[in-house]
Amino acid sequence: MKKVILLVLATLLLYCRPKTQTPSYNVKPVPFTQVKITDNFWAPRIETVRTVTIPYAFQQCVETGRVKNFEVAGGSARGAFCGQYAFDDSDVYKVIEGAAYSLQVHPDTALENYVDGLIEKIAKAQEPDGYLYTWRSIYDREKAAGVVKEPVSGQFYKGSDTRWEHEDQHSHELYNAGHLYEAAVAYFQATGKRTLLDVALKNADLVEKTFGWGKLEKATGHQEIEIGLVKLFQVTGEQRYLDLAQFFLDVRGYGDIYMQNHQKVKDQREIAGHAVRACYMYSAMADVTALKGTAEYLPALDAIWEDVVGKKMYVTGGIGSSGSNEGFSQPYDLPNYSAYCETCASIAFVLWNQRMFQLTGDAKYMDVLERTLYNALDAGLSFSGDRFFYPNPLESRKNVERSPWFACACCPSNVARFFPSIPGYIYAKRGNEIYVNLFVSSETTVQNVNSRLQLVNVNISQQTKYPWDGKVTIRVEPEKPNTFTLKVRIPGWAQGDAVPFDLYSFPKHDDSKVYIFLNGKSLPVTIRHGYAIMERKWKKGDQVEIALPMPVRQVAANSKVAADADRLALQRGPLMYCLEGKDQPDDRILNIMVNDLDDISTKFEPDMLGGLPTLSFDGFLVKKKSAPDQGDLQKMRLKAIPYFAWANRGMDNMLVWLPNGLRAARPISQPSIASQSKISASDGVKGELSGVADQWLPQNADDHENPYIHWWPHFGTTEWLQYDFEKEEQVGTVRVYWFDDEASGGGCRIPESWRVLYLENGEWKQVYAPKGYAVTKDGWDKVQFEPVKTSALRLELVCRQGVSAGVHEWEVR
């Protein structure tokens, strides 16, 4: 008997002791393949991605030449490289990854056969030593044949005669490889087929042979291979792949802040540079931290996460405010009209937050993940599944609509691979602890261990109408009674905290509370690290009911966020809301204001965009302002829709942050000669031409919140902007405010010179301006000239050498 007891104790000790031999994440998500979702929110979206987005993305990869590049590189077709970007191979890999995820839960012979055909083309394109990068393979062949003599250079890639020469800049050779590895692992796990995995391993072996300490000590220009190498390590057990991932992290610290190469990663404390690159890197740092059992990166990860969430995140959960670097600017610089918030950045931010949760078990990371997922990220895909956002602004002036594809198509292909994986974010597990992180009607079965060291299957299911409703029913069905801890996330917004820090807050106190019931009886629980802790001996039929309060909450930004001063936003549950012009009595929502909003009604509208809750409240159209706090106001009933749903009905005005009072409101622009004119410009102009006559006055020459046009990349050229009047007008004064983005690192400057021409008898003539033409940065250039009567006026400008030029506003009197 003693021997039996000792054996049991020894086994228990073996099971319970820390497994230091194989470090891993503290918390592991329940794989999406083990979660079946049945809700009316995410399930239809994922099905649309399966039936529309993935086939559509494959079709676009064919039509844009991305697939042909593999055929040409592999010798089965002839021609030059198709496309503007040398990293286009990655889009094919990402869509294959999305298809693999879909196949794991929804077998589809036709789709599998199609992907097998693509993989065959990819395998043929691989060079004998494992190198795989179609741009170079095609270029090398053309050069050998004498078709080209010099490497092709593009906006984002400077070609070279040597592999890897520009890898730490913009060549993206290893970025492509990382997406290849992720796709290969996903397809192997979905089908058991090794062809693409063997291609990936052959390439990884070449990379491992080439890069490393004492070899080519060069960082990646766009982080991604680090994540891919971790996945190769996980599927093969080959430690060298994990070591190589760590090398690519640790070698950084000698280059550009844009690529997070300005400091050793362990020493970085602020988020900076390109947003997608950054979050892919932090995801990899978390992976290496967990899988190597090291704490070296933790201070950096913690500080950087606090920096972005506390100072640089939009209320929608989007990140990356600046379009010039597709990334971060200064703390609290969060403009709305020019917000970048790339869809890929939202996906990368979710990946990083998930890993931070897995390291710590803290719900604050899932709170941020949820905010991003339900708002900025979900907005990136249309309801139809075949239109996409690249940036996701928080204000539109009828200047934004989703696109069918992009020359740089990273976002559509990223959407195709991300959405099928969403069920994997719902549940997680640590030992005999089960986490419920997202509220989605779904079910899964996990395995616990009982006191007899027996495996016990536990079925967990949810029934909920979330995010429309805060009621969640969780059914717990162990196959036999089992003692374990159920941890249910109680979102910060349900406890009165908009976000983990003070970047956003709910200024009005709300008395609503979270209620939890077990088998119909109120259950007092401890909330620790954002989770309601329920530890007990669970049995079949146990049921937990949670009621999360969902009043409409007004959100205020930190006073340091200048763009949101004297404004408020609306949140209900995890969803941010916005106004869209077509839902209002008057679509000029950029000229509205509200007053503290004490009476907001909520109504579920089944015929509105597939069915969703709208908010209704009183507001005012600001017709004129006679003083900062006085004006001519027209009362109107406003309707708000969830932010993720906007722009599914065409181009429109849109507003997230509502002026709260007259001080922040903008009155309706009054008709002017310029605003009533037909506007045209020389070829190559970019931006909305109407913006130069909209009477929106810039704060400075680099004001991206104010509409502008520009001719970049026309350098040193003569350009023109023209007003054709509705009728002949006598004019004698013009004012121009130039666009100059030197401060944000752009390529536009005030012009070398300019002049005004008028149309007379079909001929353009220069006006007589005796005082000449000044050229001013951050101010107006006003020219008075001998009055002329004309039907058209032209502004002609000469760009400086090496840079272009642009215009914010052009007034005519």
Side-chain angles (χ1 to χ4, degrees):
M1 184 64 180
K2 289 182 178 179
K3 289 183 179 179
V4 173
I5 294 173
L6 288 172
L7 179 61
V8 170
L9 288 173
T11 307
L12 277 170
L13 288 171
L14 181 64
Y15 176 78
C16 296
R17 72 181 182 182
K19 299 180 180 179
T20 55
Q21 302 93 328
T22 55
S24 185
Y25 276 106
N26 292 325
V27 184
K28 297 181 180 179
V30 176
F32 70 90
T33 53
Q34 297 176 22
V35 179
K36 180 181 179 181
I37 66 171
T38 55
D39 76 331
N40 292 320
F41 189 86
W42 289 117
R45 295 287 272 163
I46 295 170
E47 180 65 6
T48 297
V49 169
R50 184 185 76 83
T51 59
V52 178
T53 310
I54 291 174
Y56 178 82
F58 275 136
Q59 176 189 346
Q60 289 295 319
C61 286
V62 171
E63 293 180 0
T64 58
R66 284 164 167 79
V67 172
K68 185 181 177 182
N69 287 334
F70 288 101
E71 296 170 348
V72 175
S76 61
R78 298 176 63 85
F81 182 83
C82 303
Q84 183 178 350
Y85 300 98
F87 49 81
D88 280 353
D89 296 357
S90 63
D91 296 322
V92 180
Y93 300 145
K94 282 186 279 185
V95 185
I96 288 176
E97 184 183 352
Y101 293 155
S102 181
L103 287 170
Q104 289 191 58
V105 295
H106 198 291
D108 183 330
T109 302
L111 177 60
E112 185 173 342
N113 289 340
Y114 179 78
V115 176
D116 286 343
L118 284 180
I119 290 172
E120 183 179 348
K121 294 174 182 179
I122 292 169
K124 287 181 179 178
Q126 187 169 38
E127 297 186 19
D129 65 351
Y131 187 78
L132 181 54
Y133 186 64
T134 63
W135 180 90
R136 172 157 298 287
S137 296
I138 294 170
Y139 164 72
D140 286 348
R141 184 177 296 117
E142 288 182 326
K143 185 177 181 184
V147 177
V148 295
K149 295 182 180 180
E150 298 295 335
V152 177
S153 295
Q155 178 183 345
F156 290 103
Y157 175 56
K158 181 180 179 182
S160 70
D161 283 323
T162 306
R163 289 179 181 178
W164 325 116
E165 182 178 346
H166 295 291
E167 173 49 44
D168 56 359
Q169 294 298 313
H170 294 293
S171 76
H172 288 67
E173 288 155 283
L174 297 181
Y175 169 81
N176 278 10
H179 281 302
L180 166 65
Y181 303 168
E182 291 203 75
V185 170
Y187 200 68
F188 171 70
Q189 291 173 335
T191 66
K193 297 176 181 178
R194 288 192 57 95
T195 303
L196 191 60
L197 181 61
D198 289 338
V199 168
L201 293 173
K202 187 175 182 179
N203 179 268
D205 290 345
L206 172 67
V207 174
E208 196 260 345
K209 179 181 178 182
T210 305
F211 290 86
W213 302 117
K215 306 174 191 176
L216 184 56
E217 297 181 4
K218 183 173 284 191
T220 54
H222 193 311
Q223 301 89 315
E224 159 59 19
I225 193 174
E226 300 86 351
I227 295 174
L229 285 166
V230 167
K231 291 190 175 182
L232 288 184
F233 160 71
Q234 290 173 320
V235 81
T236 66
E238 289 278 355
Q239 180 70 27
R240 57 199 176 99
Y241 297 138
L242 182 59
D243 292 343
L244 186 58
Q246 184 174 13
F247 161 78
F248 281 125
L249 295 172
D250 289 345
V251 75
R252 310 187 83 81
Y254 63 89
D256 195 339
I257 193 172
Y258 171 76
M259 300 159 182
Q260 297 79 40
N261 197 8
H262 59 299
Q263 287 179 296
K264 289 294 184 182
V265 296
K266 65 182 179 63
D267 297 328
Q268 295 182 26
R269 293 295 183 270
E270 297 179 3
I271 199 162
H274 189 269
V276 181
R277 285 171 164 88
C279 290
Y280 280 174
M281 184 176 83
Y282 306 141
S283 296
M285 289 167 66
D287 283 342
V288 171
T289 295
L291 299 176
K292 285 210 161 187
T294 176
E296 184 179 20
Y297 299 146
L298 287 178
L301 288 171
D302 290 340
I304 293 167
W305 189 84
E306 289 186 14
D307 183 56
V308 64
V309 174
K311 300 175 183 177
K312 299 171 184 175
M313 180 181 73
Y314 280 93
V315 73
T316 58
I319 58 171
S321 60
S322 170
S324 63
N325 67 347
E326 294 188 316
F328 300 98
S329 55
Q330 298 303 310
Y332 307 105
D333 179 29
L334 296 165
N336 295 306
Y337 172 74
S338 61
Y340 203 68
C341 290
E342 183 182 341
T343 298
C344 281
S346 291
I347 291 173
F349 197 36
V350 165
L351 298 180
W352 178 29
N353 274 285
Q354 170 75 351
R355 286 163 167 80
M356 293 300 287
F357 157 71
Q358 290 178 239
L359 282 175
T360 64
D362 197 314
K364 65 183 181 182
Y365 302 108
M366 298 307 300
D367 283 352
V368 173
L369 185 154
E370 179 185 63
R371 177 173 292 275
T372 303
L373 178 63
Y374 278 88
N375 297 288
L377 196 162
D378 197 24
L381 177 66
S382 68
F383 289 167
S384 63
D386 59 357
R387 293 296 183 269
F388 311 90
F389 271 151
Y390 199 114
N392 290 271
L394 281 74
E395 180 179 319
S396 170
R397 301 167 191 170
K398 293 187 178 179
N399 64 311
V400 176
E401 63 181 337
R402 290 186 178 84
S403 298
W405 198 249
F406 306 96
C408 175
C410 55
C411 293
S413 54
N414 229 349
V415 163
R417 75 173 182 140
F418 177 79
F419 272 79
S421 72
I422 286 175
Y425 295 90
I426 300 173
Y427 302 101
K429 199 166 181 299
R430 172 166 56 185
N432 266 24
E433 297 176 342
I434 300 174
Y435 292 80
V436 178
N437 283 322
L438 298 180
F439 305 110
V440 182
S441 288
S442 58
E443 66 174 313
T444 188
T445 298
V446 298
Q447 287 190 326
N448 283 341
V449 176
N450 64 15
S451 59
R452 299 180 180 180
L453 299 186
Q454 296 171 323
L455 293 178
V456 178
N457 289 329
V458 180
N459 181 269
I460 303 288
S461 65
Q462 293 186 62
Q463 288 296 320
T464 180
K465 294 180 181 179
Y466 196 89
W468 310 145
D469 191 287
K471 296 178 182 177
V472 182
T473 299
I474 303 172
R475 290 183 173 86
V476 182
E477 298 279 349
E479 63 180 358
K480 60 179 69 175
N482 183 226
T483 299
F484 64 88
T485 302
L486 181 68
K487 293 186 171 184
V488 180
R489 182 176 66 92
I490 305 301
W493 56 258
Q495 302 179 68
D497 295 322
V499 291
F501 304 106
D502 67 351
L503 185 56
Y504 304 106
S505 61
F506 301 139
K508 293 192 174 183
H509 178 72
D510 189 281
D511 293 328
S512 53
K513 298 178 180 179
V514 177
Y515 293 96
I516 301 176
F517 300 88
L518 175 63
N519 298 329
K521 296 181 179 180
S522 179
L523 179 68
V525 298
T526 299
I527 297 179
R528 189 164 53 246
H529 300 303
Y531 288 94
I533 310 297
M534 289 168 270
E535 183 178 6
R536 67 190 301 271
K537 190 170 188 177
W538 299 87
K539 61 184 185 302
K540 285 185 179 181
D542 280 343
Q543 181 171 290
V544 177
E545 295 171 281
I546 300 172
L548 301 173
M550 281 197 175
V552 178
R553 300 178 189 270
Q554 298 179 33
V555 183
N558 187 297
S559 60
K560 296 177 182 178
V561 182
D564 302 332
D566 298 315
R567 292 174 179 261
L568 60 84
L570 298 176
Q571 178 175 344
R572 183 175 181 271
L575 299 177
M576 296 306 305
Y577 277 72
C578 68
L579 299 181
E580 200 167 12
K582 54 177 52 67
D583 297 319
Q584 320 308 328
D586 189 312
D587 73 351
R588 293 176 290 183
I589 58 173
L590 302 175
N591 306 111
I592 63 98
M593 59 158 277
V594 296
N595 269 330
D596 292 327
L597 295 182
D598 291 322
D599 181 22
I600 305 176
S601 62
T602 303
K603 178 182 178 182
F604 187 84
E605 299 194 38
D607 297 324
M608 167 75 77
L609 295 165
L612 47 75
T614 62
L615 309 180
S616 180
F617 48 90
D618 287 334
F620 300 89
L621 184 66
V622 182
K623 302 176 81 170
K624 290 182 181 178
K625 283 176 72 172
S626 53
D629 296 312
Q630 296 179 0
D632 181 4
L633 307 179
Q634 177 184 322
K635 190 174 182 179
M636 54 195 287
R637 192 70 176 170
L638 300 171
K639 179 188 288 188
I641 64 172
Y643 173 80
F644 75 83
W646 89 278
N648 277 284
R649 299 169 291 178
M651 196 177 292
D652 204 351
N653 290 320
M654 185 274 291
L655 197 62
V656 171
W657 286 96
L658 313 180
N660 188 23
L662 261 175
R663 192 169 297 275
R666 174 182 173 78
I668 295 171
S669 299
Q670 302 303 308
S672 68
I673 294 175
S675 68
Q676 294 179 310
S677 296
K678 177 184 177 182
I679 309 174
S680 56
S682 53
D683 289 345
V685 70
K686 297 180 179 67
E688 292 295 320
L689 290 175
S690 61
V692 300
D694 63 4
Q695 301 172 44
W696 287 63
L697 307 183
Q699 297 295 313
N700 53 61
D702 195 27
D703 183 359
H704 289 259
E705 285 293 270
N706 190 81
Y708 58 89
I709 62 168
H710 63 87
W711 284 270
W712 191 91
H714 291 193
F715 302 152
T717 55
T718 298
E719 308 295 346
W720 55 265
L721 182 63
Q722 181 174 321
Y723 287 154
D724 287 285
F725 305 148
E726 286 188 330
K727 57 182 178 60
E728 276 198 336
E729 299 278 0
Q730 180 162 310
V731 294
T733 303
V734 300
R735 288 206 314 167
V736 184
Y737 203 113
W738 306 108
F739 173 68
D740 184 316
D741 59 356
E742 181 179 15
S744 60
C748 291
R749 303 291 184 272
I750 57 174
E752 182 72 32
S753 62
W754 66 289
R755 61 178 183 162
V756 177
L757 307 173
Y758 70 99
L759 190 64
E760 182 178 78
N761 298 323
E763 180 182 352
W764 288 104
K765 296 183 178 180
Q766 184 173 347
V767 301
Y768 174 58
K771 294 185 179 180
Y773 298 83
V775 183
T776 305
K777 182 177 177 179
D778 296 325
W780 289 93
D781 281 328
K782 181 178 179 180
V783 170
Q784 291 182 308
F785 50 88
E786 193 70 27
V788 296
K789 192 168 188 178
T790 182
S791 62
L793 215 59
R794 177 175 284 190
L795 185 156
E796 187 179 88
L797 59 97
V798 178
C799 299
R800 297 173 185 268
Q801 292 299 316
V803 292
S804 192
V807 176
H808 271 297
E809 196 77 12
W810 177 26
E811 295 180 352
V812 177
R813 299 172 187 170

